[in-house]
Structure formats: structure tokens, C-alpha cells
Amino acid sequence: MKRFFSASLCLFASLLLATAGSPVTPPAPYGPLPSDRQYQWHDLEMYGFCHFTVDTFTDREWGLGSESESVFNPTHFDAEQIVKAFKSAGLKGLILSCKHHDGFCLWPSKYTEHSVKNSPWKNGRGDVVREISDACHKYGLKFGIYLSPWDRNSALYGKPEYVTYYRNQLRELLTNYGPIFEVWLDGANGGTGYYGGANERRTIDKTVYYDWPTTWNIIRELQPGAVIFSDVGPDCRWVGNERGIAGDPCWATISDDGWYPGHADEKLLNSGMRDGKKWIPAEVDFSIRPGWFWHQSQNDKVRSATDLWDHYFESVGRGASMILNIPPDSRGLIYEKDVQSLAGFGRIVSQTFAVNLAKSAQVTASNVRGGGKKFSAKNLLDGNRNTYWATDDAVTTPEVTLTFKKPVTFDIVSLREYLPLGQRVEAFALDQWRDGQWVQFAGGTGIGSHRLWRGEPVTTDKVRLRITQSPACPALAEFGLFKEAVAGVN
Ligand code: FUL
Ligand code: CA
């Protein structure tokens, strides 16, 4: 009897273990990983740039530094109109050119007279940075700052004292205007300028003059959540062109040995490096108009909504972030045509991605890590980038199949990796079930934060994703099928 009891106890215990299984651990991370602030930043995907200064009134792209403060006088400045136009495009934040190369400050800095405080606008009592940041916070957009390191107005430029001046201004901006999501550090540096009346050419040694690590520390200390942009990071990098096009693929990783702001290989910035040592993803900066600043002569050269939509695929769709510049005009408003394109673009994006057709599918995978629920392929369809499908370590080329009760028609496929475990997948293929067999309709190199495929409409009742190359088991967060909604928008 006693024996019977202990034998059944043993059986019971082993049954219990078999059902619970040993806990399934997540895959080990692969390669460089995003920091928390970078992971949050990836989620934004699209935000805006706002170039506004004396150039808006002088019809220049790079002010000389000699402009009188009296030049700055927007007749109808309305921060809410500007921010609402950005918001209508679905942009999640706005980075304002608080000071461009001409040195004119859009806020009443206590370190210079060359600012709004000596302009006729609001009798010198205005603060563009205040009004724009307030409007951003009111309408739920994040606010970021551009503070040009090159300053063609300052007499100090080129001397060590200028770096102190620059840092003092940065402190003003980082402490007086609420949370800052990104600090944009421009790489254009040095050349001719007014420089307090000297009117000469000043060159600086870009490798040491600014002592960037010290400045980055100030940003970390005052705004720990802010990502720092420069040509080469540390948090996000330039994409190597101002045309709005990321490389295909555009790896989030790169090695920056020997590079510094103003000196990096543009081709490699564009593509990233598969074996890069650091996680420094690309940011795609381009303008809705030919120039960064508003020019009357460019009012008929504003990008259309569908043009912006194309660039969405060439930036966001390749795992980079898109920063679209929309400059206010000399009234201090976003010009009518720009407003129209932004709203149209926003409508296309929100309508297209409103319904993930994949959600109605039954999903099966060739392998699920530990065979349990935690890493199930259903995680691909829950709209949550923090849950993911993963396979056993040894399985690096799995596939996942979506089966529909009725055929679906889509022309966009969306894939996302689970970034906290690194950029893992190197190649994938997509198949549709047609006439009783699998037919490949797309494929690509790299997935990363977001990978979009866009093509001719596909109608089918079965779709298959094959991971065809990966140095480690994949960890995929999301899978989406969408139908483009561009009708009637231009
Ligand atoms: C460049 C600047 O020289 C342009 O004027 C503009 O601000 C662009 C975003 O960055 O380096
Ligand atoms: Ca998910």
C-alpha cells in the first residue's frame, strides 16, 4: 500500500512537471541593443522639423549673422495653427530651430542681445520656443530642439568661450520648456560670417572644438529621456542625404570609429552596417519644400500628400524615423498648400493602417519556442510591439502561415522585430497561396523596427512568411496586412 502511494505520488509529480514544463526563457539578445530611450523613440516613427528664423523674412537658407533683429516680425504668428498642421499629418513630435546658423534666438536668451527680445514682434516680449512648446504639449506632440553649433553672429565663435556660451543656451532650453524628446545637433560648422562685426572666415577643428561628450553629458543630466541626434549619434544618426530616402536595408547598427559630426561616410550612414558595434538608428530628414525655410517662390513646389506617402515607405518602412520639415511662412503660419498636403497625408496613413487584415486569420508557426503560449505566433497579431513570436534556439529559418476563411486583398505588408533582443533577421520571403501552390510575392533583407512592403494588390486566402536567414532564432513582434487608402487624396 505504502509503495503504491509513493509510486502514484511520483507519477503525479512528473505529470505536473510535464504540464507546467520548465519555464521557457526568452532568447538571448543578439548584437548591440537599443537603450530604453532609443526604444521609446523608435515608437514615434514620424515627427516634424520646424525651421523658422530671420531667413524666413530675408529669403535666405543660411543667414549671414549680420541681420538686424528688426527683420523678425511675423504678422500673424499662431503656434496652435502650426502645431495643429503637424498633428494633422500624424506627426508625433516637433523639433524647432531655436537657433539656426545665423545665431538669432527664437527665445529671449539672457546670453545674447541677438534674439526675439530685440525684435518688433510682440514688442520684444514674445518667445517662440515658449509658444510652440506649450502648443505641442497642449496637442499631445513631443517637443524637441535644434540649436545650431555654428553661429555666424557670435563674436566668440571659434574661441573656447563660445562653447561655454553654446552650453549656457542649451541649459536654458533644456530647463525652461518642459520635457524634450530630442536634441538635434547639426553637422554644418564653420565658414564665413559676421562674427560680431569681424566679417571673416573662421574654421574650427571639428574633432575637438566642441568637446561633444561634455555637452552630451549636460543633455543626459538635464533631460535623461532625450535622444541626441548628430551625423553619428550617439542615439540616432543622419541618414546621409536630405532627400528623404533610407537605404534598403537600413541597419540600426553602425561602427563610428574615426567619425565625428560633419565627418562620416554618407553611404554607410544610409545603409548602416550589419556588423556595426553600436545601436545608432537612422533618422531621415527632408523638407516638404525645396528649402528648409519658407520662400514665397517655393509656394508652388510643396510636396503632395502622395509624395509624402511614398517617402513614408522609404524611411519609416525601412526601419528609420522620418523627420519632415514644414517651415512657417513670414506671417508665422503654415502656408495653405502645406496644410493641405499634411492633412491629406495624415488621412492616408490613418485610414490605411486602421484595419490590420491579418487579425482575422488563423495563425500557425512551424516552431514556437518551448511549444507554449508565451512566444506563440498569436503575439504577431495583437498590435503590441512588446509581445513576440520566437522559436527554439536551434530554429533560425522558421515560417508562419496565416489562413483566412475568405480571401483578403492587401497591398502592404508590415513586419516588426522585437527590438530589445536586437536586430536578428537578415532575410525573409512572403508567399501567397495561388492555384494550389505557394507563390512568392515579396522578399527583403533585414526587418528591424519596421519593415514595409508595398506592391500590386494580392488576393489570397493564405499568406506565408518565411525567415530565410538569421544568425539567431527570430523574435518577431508584429505582422500586418493592409490595403492602401489613397483614393481622392493628392
Ligand atoms: C543642415 C543645415 O545646414 C540646414 O540649414 C538645415 O538646418 C538642415 C536640417 O541641416 O545641416
Ligand atoms: Ca505583438
Side-chain angles (χ1 to χ4, degrees):
M1 194 65 169
K2 203 169 161 207
R3 253 176 105 183
F4 169 77
F5 266 130
S6 52
S8 42
L9 213 73
C10 262
L11 190 72
F12 181 68
S14 48
L15 263 176
L16 209 73
L17 254 178
T19 26
S22 46
V24 186
T25 52
Y30 176 83
L33 305 176
S35 63
D36 276 355
R37 73 167 76 79
Q38 287 172 317
Y39 189 46
Q40 299 313 321
W41 169 88
H42 273 292
D43 210 22
L44 301 176
E45 297 201 326
M46 300 201 280
Y47 40 88
F49 224 160
C50 184
H51 275 69
F52 192 41
T53 184
V54 288
D55 295 350
T56 312
F57 306 87
T58 58
D59 207 18
R60 295 188 68 92
E61 274 291 304
W62 282 7
L64 302 167
S66 55
E67 292 80 7
S68 158
E69 293 82 37
S70 64
V71 161
F72 187 83
N73 195 13
T75 48
H76 297 81
F77 178 77
D78 183 347
E80 297 208 358
Q81 189 265 359
I82 295 170
V83 169
K84 281 198 228 164
F86 278 58
K87 191 178 168 94
S88 76
L91 303 176
K92 302 283 175 1
L94 179 157
I95 297 181
L96 176 67
S97 64
C98 302
K99 179 185 90 168
H100 202 251
H101 306 329
D102 54 79
F104 182 79
C105 297
L106 293 184
W107 80 105
S109 170
K110 66 176 185 216
Y111 299 101
T112 180
E113 291 304 306
H114 195 50
S115 83
V116 281
K117 74 182 170 202
N118 288 317
S119 78
W121 179 61
K122 299 202 167 174
N123 294 319
R125 282 192 286 277
D127 181 345
V128 177
V129 181
R130 169 80 54 224
E131 293 198 33
I132 294 280
S133 59
D134 281 352
C136 282
H137 298 135
K138 176 168 172 189
Y139 290 98
L141 266 73
K142 295 187 183 291
F143 179 67
I145 57 168
Y146 169 112
L147 184 69
S148 170
W150 182 24
D151 189 320
R152 304 175 95 184
N153 175 262
S154 172
L156 301 175
Y157 188 75
K159 301 179 186 162
E161 292 84 343
Y162 172 75
V163 179
T164 307
Y165 169 74
Y166 182 80
R167 289 180 183 153
N168 282 336
Q169 293 199 320
L170 197 55
R171 283 178 193 279
E172 285 185 311
L173 293 171
L174 294 175
T175 50
N176 289 325
Y177 298 95
I180 302 292
F181 85 99
E182 180 167 328
V183 178
W184 217 93
L185 302 173
D186 199 291
N189 283 308
T192 56
Y194 171 72
Y195 303 128
N199 284 311
E200 59 190 9
R201 171 177 292 276
R202 291 190 183 171
T203 43
I204 48 117
D205 180 348
K206 290 180 195 170
T207 58
V208 291
Y209 179 62
Y210 294 106
D211 176 16
W212 284 119
T214 303
T215 302
W216 295 343
N217 281 339
I218 296 172
I219 301 170
R220 295 288 192 241
E221 175 202 324
L222 299 175
Q223 293 277 350
V227 295
I228 302 174
F229 167 96
S230 87
D231 288 350
V232 295
D235 297 321
C236 58
R237 69 175 197 262
W238 188 38
V239 77
N241 66 64
E242 293 179 342
R243 289 176 289 114
I245 303 176
D248 182 3
C250 182
W251 303 103
T253 46
I254 205 154
S255 296
D256 59 355
D257 310 324
W259 291 2
Y260 44 86
H263 175 79
D265 184 313
E266 293 177 5
K267 259 189 146 157
L268 290 173
L269 288 173
N270 196 245
S271 61
M273 301 173 188
R274 175 52 177 148
D275 299 319
K277 294 195 201 78
K278 294 182 185 167
W279 187 277
I280 312 179
E283 185 194 76
V284 179
D285 61 327
F286 69 111
S287 184
I288 196 165
R289 291 160 164 262
W292 291 100
F293 289 94
W294 177 83
H295 306 283
Q296 177 135 38
S297 59
Q298 296 178 353
N299 280 348
D300 58 353
K301 296 193 176 65
V302 177
R303 289 179 193 273
S304 63
T306 48
D307 179 291
L308 299 176
W309 178 230
D310 291 342
H311 283 277
Y312 179 86
F313 288 91
E314 291 167 326
S315 52
V316 174
R318 295 178 181 168
S321 288
M322 161 174 154
I323 175 167
L324 172 65
N325 179 65
I326 312 114
D329 61 19
S330 56
R331 295 171 301 175
L333 299 172
I334 302 298
Y335 185 72
E336 286 74 356
K337 174 65 187 112
D338 308 48
V339 167
Q340 189 198 348
S341 294
L342 291 171
F345 169 65
R347 259 199 317 278
I348 299 176
V349 174
S350 62
Q351 287 177 14
T352 297
F353 295 110
V355 179
N356 179 3
L357 299 164
K359 279 202 164 178
S360 63
Q362 203 205 325
V363 54
T364 53
S366 60
N367 179 279
V368 171
R369 190 173 186 79
K373 275 194 182 152
K374 190 164 173 204
F375 300 107
S376 146
K378 285 195 179 130
N379 291 338
L380 288 168
L381 305 179
D382 63 0
N384 178 352
R385 70 177 179 145
N386 293 311
T387 60
Y388 57 98
W389 164 56
T391 56
D392 293 320
D393 285 345
V395 180
T396 56
T397 52
E399 48 190 60
V400 70
T401 305
L402 304 185
T403 308
F404 297 88
K405 286 209 180 92
K406 281 194 297 197
V408 286
T409 301
F410 59 89
D411 45 20
I412 293 169
V413 180
S414 160
L415 298 169
R416 291 176 194 273
E417 278 188 270
Y418 177 65
L419 298 187
L421 295 180
Q423 190 160 7
R424 305 165 79 88
V425 174
E426 287 177 351
F428 66 92
L430 288 158
D431 308 321
Q432 57 166 313
W433 187 251
R434 203 170 69 193
D435 304 329
Q437 58 178 337
W438 286 115
V439 179
Q440 182 174 335
F441 65 90
T445 307
I447 294 179
S449 175
H450 201 169
R451 158 65 77 166
L452 291 169
W453 169 83
R454 179 199 198 193
E456 289 303 314
V458 172
T459 302
T460 184
D461 59 0
K462 265 204 265 184
V463 177
R464 181 170 72 172
L465 164 69
R466 279 178 290 128
I467 303 300
T468 53
Q469 199 178 319
S470 181
C473 67
L476 278 190
E478 283 294 300
F479 186 110
L481 301 175
F482 301 94
K483 182 76 192 72
E484 191 170 274
V486 290
V489 189
N490 56 43

